Amino acid sequence: MEFTGEIAEIQQQLARCSDIAARRLAVAQTLAPRRGERLLEIGCGAGLLLRELALAVGPHGLAAGLDISPDQIGAAEAECTGIPAAKPEIGDVRALGYGDAVFDAAVAVQAVEYVPEVETALAEIRRVLKAGGRFHCLATNWTSSFWHGPEIGLTARIASAWENHAAHPNLPARLAPMLARAGFTGIRQLPVPIVNADFGPAAFAYWLARLMAAHAAREGTAPGTAEAWLAALAAADAEGEFFFSSVPILTTAIAA
Ligand SMILES: C[S@@+](CC[C@H](N)C(=O)[O-])C[C@H]1O[C@@H](n2cnc3c(N)ncnc32)[C@H](O)[C@@H]1O
């Protein structure tokens, strides 16, 4: 999935919903940025976490934000205007334009799974981290996400299309050995669950459903399928019969 145009717009709205604001806080607290540190965010999207990291490291630190999408970096530049430490820029994690061992920590939220050459990306992240540097990577095993409300076959068609929206749709399951091979140690994995019993705009599920519907339509599901699924979700919600759960995993590691 490329985060440009309509897809970038939906993703940017998703990033602002209450569930993701709470998750951003949890990620920032776990990373625990210190004043003066040099941080790198991979796939920074609209720059909401980047802004928080830049404020935390202060004007003598650095919060470099990298994203392959010009639309996302345009939004990140607007979000981080006037914050000296924030440096959003277009780039590809597979070929980082930084020297060796220049960052104290790196973070990637729902980003690394979109990179087909994920082992190249991890090697690059390890290369730019100082020894002892922290890498925090949040991703989701998408196969385990659960939707209740619409007829099961309809949800299955949308979920099936979603399986190929990322190069590695179940990255957390495979990440620990990949990190060890890339030169990381102290690997830990923590659940950061999301539960929605409401299908309103404050909920992650509301925006995720729109991303999944847009992707399914592009993948050539039968005409009307995506619209029917969104309508069925809203109808289930109106009847008090909507439920969604997902367990993103925050993987933390130390550069050996
Ligand atoms: C699901 S979005 C997440 C954005 C942001 N981290 C957030 O949580 O709101 C994934 C982001 O990764 C970016 N991305 C995908 N492949 C990339 C690559 N090879 N290098 C840098 N960024 C990449 C996309 O452009 C997109 O903005």
Side-chain angles (χ1 to χ4, degrees):
M1 172 179 269
E2 288 187 9
F3 289 85
T4 54
E6 178 202 10
I7 296 288
E9 284 171 23
I10 300 172
Q11 196 282 324
Q12 289 169 17
Q13 288 177 288
L14 179 153
R16 292 186 185 282
C17 79
S18 306
D19 285 322
I20 299 307
R23 185 172 81 183
R24 195 159 40 248
L25 190 63
V27 170
Q29 284 177 342
T30 307
L31 189 67
R34 294 185 282 272
R35 293 192 78 72
E37 279 195 321
R38 296 172 62 84
L39 310 180
L40 172 64
E41 184 182 359
I42 307 299
C44 66
L48 299 165
L49 176 60
L50 189 68
R51 176 189 168 85
E52 297 304 320
L53 299 178
L55 291 172
V57 298
H60 301 298
L62 170 68
L66 193 81
D67 203 291
I68 203 165
S69 161
D71 291 357
Q72 297 281 57
I73 288 300
E77 285 170 346
E79 183 67 29
C80 297
T81 300
I83 303 173
K87 301 274 187 265
E89 63 178 342
I90 297 170
D92 188 333
V93 64
R94 291 169 290 192
L96 293 173
Y98 309 106
D100 296 353
V102 293
F103 289 103
D104 298 294
V107 60
V109 176
Q110 302 282 181
V112 174
E113 60 268 45
Y114 294 99
V115 183
E117 298 82 7
V118 65
E119 306 239 18
T120 304
L122 297 177
E124 275 293 87
I125 294 166
R126 170 63 194 87
R127 179 182 69 74
V128 301
L129 280 172
K130 301 172 185 174
R134 326 186 287 287
F135 176 44
H136 290 198
C137 179
L138 186 132
T140 300
N141 290 317
W142 285 109
T143 304
S144 71
S145 290
F146 184 87
W147 297 88
H148 170 72
E151 182 260 314
I152 287 173
L154 180 56
T155 292
R157 287 198 286 284
I158 303 292
S160 169
W162 190 244
E163 288 290 327
N164 75 358
H165 89 287
H168 303 278
N170 294 306
L171 182 66
R174 302 174 51 222
L175 189 54
M178 286 182 181
L179 284 168
R181 285 195 293 276
F184 288 91
T185 186
I187 299 159
R188 299 182 62 209
Q189 295 193 293
L190 315 165
V192 190
I194 295 180
V195 175
N196 294 148
D198 176 284
F199 193 60
F204 173 64
Y206 178 91
W207 296 105
L208 175 61
R210 280 151 177 79
L211 264 188
M212 292 175 68
H215 180 70
R218 288 173 185 214
E219 286 296 297
T221 51
T225 305
E227 294 82 356
W229 188 60
L230 289 177
L233 288 165
D237 186 43
E239 291 166 11
E241 279 292 340
F242 171 77
F243 182 89
F244 167 82
S245 64
S246 177
V247 186
I249 307 287
L250 180 61
T251 304
T252 66
I254 304 291

Coordinates of all heavy atoms in Angstrom, one line a residue, residues 1-4 7-8 11-12 14-16 20 23-24 41-49 66-73 89-96 107-117 121 138 142 162 165 211, ligand 1:
M1 N 0.8 -1.2 0.0 CA 0.0 0.0 0.0 C 0.9 1.2 0.0 O 1.8 1.3 0.8 CB -0.9 0.0 1.2 CG -1.7 1.2 1.5 SD -2.7 1.1 2.9 CE -4.2 0.4 2.2
E2 N 0.6 2.2 -0.9 CA 1.3 3.4 -0.9 C 0.5 4.5 -0.2 O -0.7 4.7 -0.5 CB 1.6 3.8 -2.4 CG 2.7 2.9 -3.0 CD 3.1 3.4 -4.4 OE1 2.7 4.5 -4.8 OE2 3.8 2.7 -5.1
F3 N 1.2 5.2 0.7 CA 0.5 6.2 1.5 C 0.5 7.6 0.8 O 1.2 8.5 1.2 CB 1.0 6.3 2.9 CG 0.7 5.0 3.7 CD1 1.4 3.9 3.5 CD2 -0.5 5.0 4.4 CE1 1.1 2.7 4.2 CE2 -0.9 3.8 5.1 CZ -0.1 2.7 5.0
T4 N -0.2 7.7 -0.3 CA -0.3 8.9 -1.1 C -1.8 9.2 -1.3 O -2.6 8.3 -1.2 CB 0.4 8.8 -2.4 OG1 -0.1 7.7 -3.1 CG2 1.9 8.7 -2.2
I7 N -5.4 7.5 0.3 CA -4.9 6.6 1.3 C -4.2 7.4 2.4 O -4.4 7.2 3.6 CB -4.0 5.5 0.8 CG1 -4.8 4.6 -0.2 CG2 -3.3 4.7 1.8 CD1 -5.8 3.7 0.5
A8 N -3.3 8.4 2.0 CA -2.6 9.2 3.0 C -3.6 10.0 3.8 O -3.4 10.2 5.0 CB -1.6 10.1 2.3
Q11 N -5.2 7.8 6.4 CA -4.2 7.4 7.4 C -4.0 8.6 8.3 O -3.8 8.4 9.6 CB -2.9 6.9 6.7 CG -2.0 6.1 7.6 CD -1.2 7.0 8.5 OE1 -0.8 8.1 8.2 NE2 -0.9 6.5 9.8
Q12 N -3.9 9.8 7.8 CA -3.6 10.9 8.6 C -4.8 11.2 9.6 O -4.6 11.6 10.8 CB -3.4 12.2 7.8 CG -2.0 12.1 7.1 CD -1.8 13.1 6.0 OE1 -2.5 14.1 5.9 NE2 -0.8 12.9 5.1
L14 N -6.8 8.8 10.7 CA -6.7 7.7 11.6 C -5.7 8.0 12.7 O -5.9 7.8 13.9 CB -6.2 6.4 10.9 CG -6.0 5.1 11.6 CD1 -6.2 3.9 10.7 CD2 -4.6 5.0 12.2
A15 N -4.5 8.6 12.3 CA -3.5 9.0 13.3 C -3.9 10.0 14.4 O -3.3 10.1 15.4 CB -2.3 9.5 12.5
R16 N -5.0 10.7 14.1 CA -5.5 11.7 15.0 C -6.6 11.2 15.9 O -7.0 11.9 16.8 CB -6.0 12.9 14.3 CG -4.9 13.7 13.6 CD -5.4 15.0 13.0 NE -4.3 15.6 12.2 CZ -3.3 16.3 12.8 NH1 -3.3 16.5 14.1 NH2 -2.3 16.8 12.1
I20 N -5.4 6.2 18.8 CA -4.0 6.3 18.3 C -3.3 7.3 19.0 O -2.1 7.2 19.3 CB -4.0 6.5 16.7 CG1 -4.7 5.3 16.1 CG2 -2.6 6.6 16.2 CD1 -4.1 3.9 16.5
R23 N -2.2 5.5 22.0 CA -1.1 4.6 21.7 C 0.2 5.4 21.5 O 1.3 4.9 21.9 CB -1.4 3.8 20.4 CG -0.4 2.8 20.1 CD -0.9 1.9 19.0 NE -0.7 2.5 17.7 CZ -1.0 1.9 16.6 NH1 -1.7 0.8 16.6 NH2 -0.8 2.5 15.4
R24 N 0.1 6.6 20.9 CA 1.3 7.4 20.6 C 2.0 7.7 21.9 O 3.2 7.7 22.1 CB 0.9 8.6 19.8 CG 2.0 9.4 19.2 CD 1.6 10.3 18.1 NE 0.3 11.0 18.3 CZ -0.8 10.7 17.6 NH1 -0.8 9.8 16.7 NH2 -1.9 11.4 17.9
E41 N 12.8 8.7 13.5 CA 11.5 8.0 13.3 C 11.4 7.5 11.9 O 11.5 8.3 10.9 CB 10.3 8.8 13.7 CG 9.1 7.9 13.6 CD 7.8 8.6 13.9 OE1 7.7 9.8 14.2 OE2 6.7 7.9 13.7
I42 N 11.2 6.2 11.7 CA 11.1 5.6 10.4 C 9.6 5.6 10.0 O 8.8 5.2 10.8 CB 11.5 4.1 10.4 CG1 13.0 4.0 10.9 CG2 11.4 3.5 9.0 CD1 14.0 4.7 10.1
G43 N 9.2 6.1 8.8 CA 7.8 6.1 8.4 C 7.0 7.0 9.3 O 6.0 6.6 9.9
C44 N 7.4 8.3 9.4 CA 6.8 9.2 10.4 C 5.4 9.7 10.1 O 4.8 10.3 10.9 CB 7.8 10.4 10.7 SG 7.9 11.5 9.2
G45 N 5.0 9.4 8.9 CA 3.6 9.8 8.5 C 3.4 11.3 8.7 O 4.3 12.1 8.3
A46 N 2.3 11.6 9.3 CA 1.9 13.0 9.4 C 2.7 13.7 10.6 O 2.4 14.9 10.8 CB 0.4 13.2 9.7
G47 N 3.6 13.1 11.2 CA 4.5 13.8 12.1 C 4.0 14.0 13.5 O 4.6 14.8 14.3
L48 N 2.9 13.3 13.9 CA 2.4 13.5 15.3 C 3.3 13.0 16.4 O 3.5 13.7 17.4 CB 1.0 12.9 15.4 CG 0.0 13.5 14.4 CD1 -1.2 12.6 14.3 CD2 -0.4 14.9 14.8
L49 N 3.9 11.8 16.2 CA 4.8 11.3 17.2 C 6.1 12.1 17.1 O 6.8 12.5 18.1 CB 5.1 9.8 17.0 CG 6.1 9.2 17.9 CD1 5.8 9.3 19.3 CD2 6.4 7.7 17.5
L66 N 11.6 10.3 8.9 CA 11.8 9.8 7.5 C 10.5 9.2 7.0 O 9.9 8.4 7.7 CB 12.9 8.8 7.5 CG 13.5 8.4 6.1 CD1 14.5 9.4 5.7 CD2 14.2 7.0 6.2
D67 N 10.2 9.5 5.8 CA 9.0 8.8 5.1 C 9.2 8.9 3.6 O 9.7 9.8 3.1 CB 7.7 9.5 5.5 CG 6.5 8.5 5.4 OD1 6.2 8.2 4.2 OD2 6.0 8.1 6.4
I68 N 8.8 7.8 3.0 CA 9.0 7.6 1.6 C 7.9 8.4 0.8 O 8.1 8.7 -0.4 CB 9.0 6.1 1.2 CG1 9.7 5.9 -0.1 CG2 7.5 5.6 1.2 CD1 10.0 4.4 -0.4
S69 N 6.8 8.8 1.5 CA 5.7 9.5 0.8 C 5.8 11.0 0.9 O 5.8 11.6 2.0 CB 4.4 9.1 1.4 OG 3.4 10.0 1.1
P70 N 5.9 11.7 -0.2 CA 5.9 13.2 -0.2 C 4.7 13.8 0.5 O 4.7 14.8 1.2 CB 6.0 13.6 -1.7 CG 6.4 12.4 -2.4 CD 6.0 11.2 -1.6
D71 N 3.5 13.1 0.3 CA 2.3 13.6 0.9 C 2.4 13.6 2.5 O 1.9 14.5 3.2 CB 1.1 12.8 0.5 CG 0.7 13.0 -1.0 OD1 1.4 13.8 -1.6 OD2 -0.2 12.3 -1.5
Q72 N 3.0 12.5 3.0 CA 3.1 12.3 4.4 C 4.1 13.4 4.9 O 3.9 14.0 6.0 CB 3.6 10.9 4.8 CG 2.6 9.8 4.4 CD 1.4 9.7 5.4 OE1 0.7 10.7 5.6 NE2 1.2 8.5 5.9
I73 N 5.2 13.6 4.2 CA 6.2 14.5 4.7 C 5.7 15.9 4.6 O 6.0 16.8 5.5 CB 7.5 14.3 3.9 CG1 8.2 13.0 4.3 CG2 8.5 15.5 4.1 CD1 8.6 12.9 5.8
E89 N 11.9 14.5 6.6 CA 12.4 14.5 5.2 C 12.0 13.2 4.5 O 11.8 12.2 5.1 CB 13.9 14.7 5.2 CG 14.7 13.7 5.8 CD 16.2 13.9 5.7 OE1 16.6 14.7 4.8 OE2 17.0 13.3 6.5
I90 N 11.9 13.4 3.2 CA 11.6 12.2 2.3 C 12.8 11.3 2.3 O 13.9 11.8 2.1 CB 11.2 12.7 0.9 CG1 9.9 13.6 0.9 CG2 11.0 11.5 0.0 CD1 9.6 14.3 -0.4
G91 N 12.6 10.0 2.4 CA 13.7 9.1 2.3 C 13.2 7.7 2.4 O 12.0 7.4 2.7
D92 N 14.1 6.7 2.2 CA 13.7 5.3 2.2 C 14.6 4.6 3.2 O 15.8 4.7 3.2 CB 14.0 4.7 0.8 CG 13.5 3.3 0.6 OD1 13.4 2.6 1.6 OD2 13.3 3.0 -0.5
V93 N 13.9 3.9 4.2 CA 14.6 3.2 5.2 C 15.6 2.2 4.7 O 16.6 1.8 5.4 CB 13.6 2.6 6.2 CG1 12.8 1.5 5.6 CG2 14.4 2.0 7.5
R94 N 15.4 1.7 3.4 CA 16.4 0.7 2.9 C 17.7 1.3 2.5 O 18.7 0.6 2.3 CB 15.7 0.1 1.6 CG 14.5 -0.8 2.0 CD 13.8 -1.2 0.7 NE 13.1 0.0 0.2 CZ 12.1 -0.1 -0.8 NH1 11.8 -1.3 -1.2 NH2 11.6 0.9 -1.3
A95 N 17.8 2.6 2.5 CA 19.1 3.3 2.1 C 19.1 4.6 2.9 O 18.8 5.7 2.3 CB 19.2 3.5 0.6
L96 N 19.5 4.6 4.2 CA 19.4 5.8 5.0 C 20.6 6.7 4.7 O 21.7 6.2 4.6 CB 19.5 5.4 6.5 CG 18.2 4.6 7.0 CD1 18.4 4.1 8.4 CD2 17.0 5.5 6.9
V107 N 12.7 4.7 16.1 CA 11.3 4.2 16.4 C 10.6 4.1 15.1 O 10.8 4.9 14.1 CB 10.6 5.1 17.4 CG1 10.4 6.5 16.9 CG2 9.2 4.6 17.7
A108 N 9.8 3.0 14.9 CA 8.9 2.9 13.7 C 7.6 2.4 14.2 O 7.5 1.4 14.9 CB 9.6 1.9 12.8
V109 N 6.5 3.1 13.8 CA 5.2 2.7 14.2 C 4.4 2.3 12.9 O 4.1 3.2 12.1 CB 4.5 3.9 14.9 CG1 3.0 3.5 15.3 CG2 5.2 4.2 16.2
Q110 N 4.0 1.1 12.8 CA 3.3 0.5 11.7 C 4.0 1.0 10.4 O 3.3 1.5 9.5 CB 1.8 1.0 11.7 CG 1.1 0.6 13.0 CD 0.6 -0.9 13.0 OE1 0.0 -1.3 14.0 NE2 0.9 -1.7 12.0
A111 N 5.3 0.8 10.3 CA 6.0 1.3 9.1 C 6.9 0.2 8.5 O 6.8 0.0 7.3 CB 6.8 2.5 9.5
V112 N 7.6 -0.5 9.3 CA 8.6 -1.5 8.7 C 7.9 -2.6 8.0 O 8.5 -3.1 7.0 CB 9.5 -2.0 9.9 CG1 10.4 -3.1 9.4 CG2 10.3 -0.9 10.5
E113 N 6.7 -2.9 8.4 CA 6.0 -4.0 7.7 C 5.7 -3.7 6.2 O 5.3 -4.6 5.5 CB 4.7 -4.4 8.4 CG 3.7 -3.4 8.6 CD 3.9 -2.6 9.9 OE1 5.0 -2.2 10.2 OE2 2.8 -2.3 10.5
Y114 N 5.8 -2.5 5.8 CA 5.5 -2.1 4.5 C 6.7 -2.2 3.6 O 6.6 -2.0 2.4 CB 4.9 -0.7 4.4 CG 3.6 -0.6 5.1 CD1 3.5 -0.1 6.4 CD2 2.4 -1.1 4.4 CE1 2.2 -0.1 7.0 CE2 1.2 -1.0 5.1 CZ 1.1 -0.6 6.4 OH -0.1 -0.6 7.0
V115 N 7.8 -2.5 4.1 CA 9.1 -2.6 3.4 C 9.4 -4.0 2.9 O 9.6 -4.9 3.8 CB 10.3 -2.1 4.2 CG1 11.5 -2.0 3.4 CG2 9.9 -0.7 4.8
P116 N 9.3 -4.3 1.6 CA 9.5 -5.7 1.2 C 10.9 -6.2 1.7 O 11.0 -7.4 2.2 CB 9.5 -5.6 -0.3 CG 8.7 -4.4 -0.6 CD 9.0 -3.4 0.5
E117 N 11.9 -5.4 1.6 CA 13.3 -5.9 2.0 C 13.5 -5.5 3.5 O 14.3 -4.7 3.8 CB 14.3 -5.2 1.1 CG 14.2 -5.6 -0.4 CD 13.2 -4.7 -1.1 OE1 12.6 -3.8 -0.5 OE2 12.9 -5.0 -2.3
A121 N 16.2 -3.1 5.8 CA 15.8 -2.0 6.6 C 16.3 -2.1 8.0 O 16.8 -1.1 8.6 CB 14.2 -1.9 6.6
L138 N 6.6 -0.8 16.5 CA 5.2 -1.3 16.7 C 4.7 -1.8 15.4 O 4.8 -1.1 14.3 CB 4.4 -0.1 17.2 CG 3.0 -0.6 17.6 CD1 2.6 -0.1 19.0 CD2 1.9 -0.2 16.6
W142 N -1.9 -8.8 11.5 CA -3.2 -8.4 11.0 C -4.1 -9.6 10.9 O -5.4 -9.5 11.0 CB -3.1 -7.8 9.6 CG -2.6 -6.4 9.8 CD1 -1.3 -5.9 9.4 CD2 -3.3 -5.2 10.3 NE1 -1.2 -4.6 9.7 CE2 -2.4 -4.1 10.3 CE3 -4.5 -5.1 10.9 CZ2 -2.7 -2.9 10.7 CZ3 -4.9 -3.8 11.4 CH2 -4.0 -2.7 11.3
W162 N -7.0 -7.3 2.6 CA -6.1 -6.6 3.5 C -4.8 -7.4 3.7 O -3.8 -6.8 4.1 CB -6.9 -6.3 4.8 CG -6.2 -5.4 5.7 CD1 -5.7 -5.7 7.0 CD2 -5.9 -4.0 5.5 NE1 -5.1 -4.6 7.6 CE2 -5.2 -3.5 6.7 CE3 -6.1 -3.1 4.5 CZ2 -4.8 -2.2 6.8 CZ3 -5.7 -1.8 4.6 CH2 -5.0 -1.4 5.8
H165 N -2.0 -5.9 2.0 CA -1.8 -4.5 1.9 C -0.4 -4.1 2.4 O 0.1 -3.0 2.1 CB -2.8 -3.7 2.8 CG -2.4 -3.6 4.3 ND1 -2.4 -4.6 5.2 CD2 -2.0 -2.5 5.0 CE1 -1.9 -4.2 6.3 NE2 -1.7 -2.9 6.2
L211 N -9.7 2.6 5.5 CA -8.5 2.2 4.8 C -8.7 0.8 4.2 O -8.3 0.6 3.0 CB -7.3 2.1 5.8 CG -6.4 3.3 6.0 CD1 -5.2 2.8 6.9 CD2 -5.9 3.9 4.7
Ligands
LIG1 C1 0.7 3.1 8.3 S1 1.7 4.5 7.9 C2 2.2 4.9 9.6 C3 2.6 6.3 9.7 C4 2.9 6.8 11.2 N1 4.0 6.0 11.7 C5 1.7 6.6 12.1 O1 1.7 5.8 12.9 O2 0.7 7.4 11.9 C6 3.2 3.8 7.3 C7 4.2 4.8 6.8 O3 5.4 4.2 6.4 C8 5.9 4.8 5.3 N2 6.8 4.0 4.5 C9 6.5 2.9 3.8 N3 7.6 2.3 3.2 C10 8.7 3.1 3.6 C11 10.1 3.1 3.3 N4 10.6 2.2 2.6 N5 10.9 4.1 3.9 C12 10.3 5.1 4.7 N6 9.0 5.1 5.0 C13 8.2 4.2 4.4 C14 4.6 5.2 4.5 O4 4.8 6.2 3.5 C15 3.7 5.6 5.6 O5 3.7 6.9 5.9

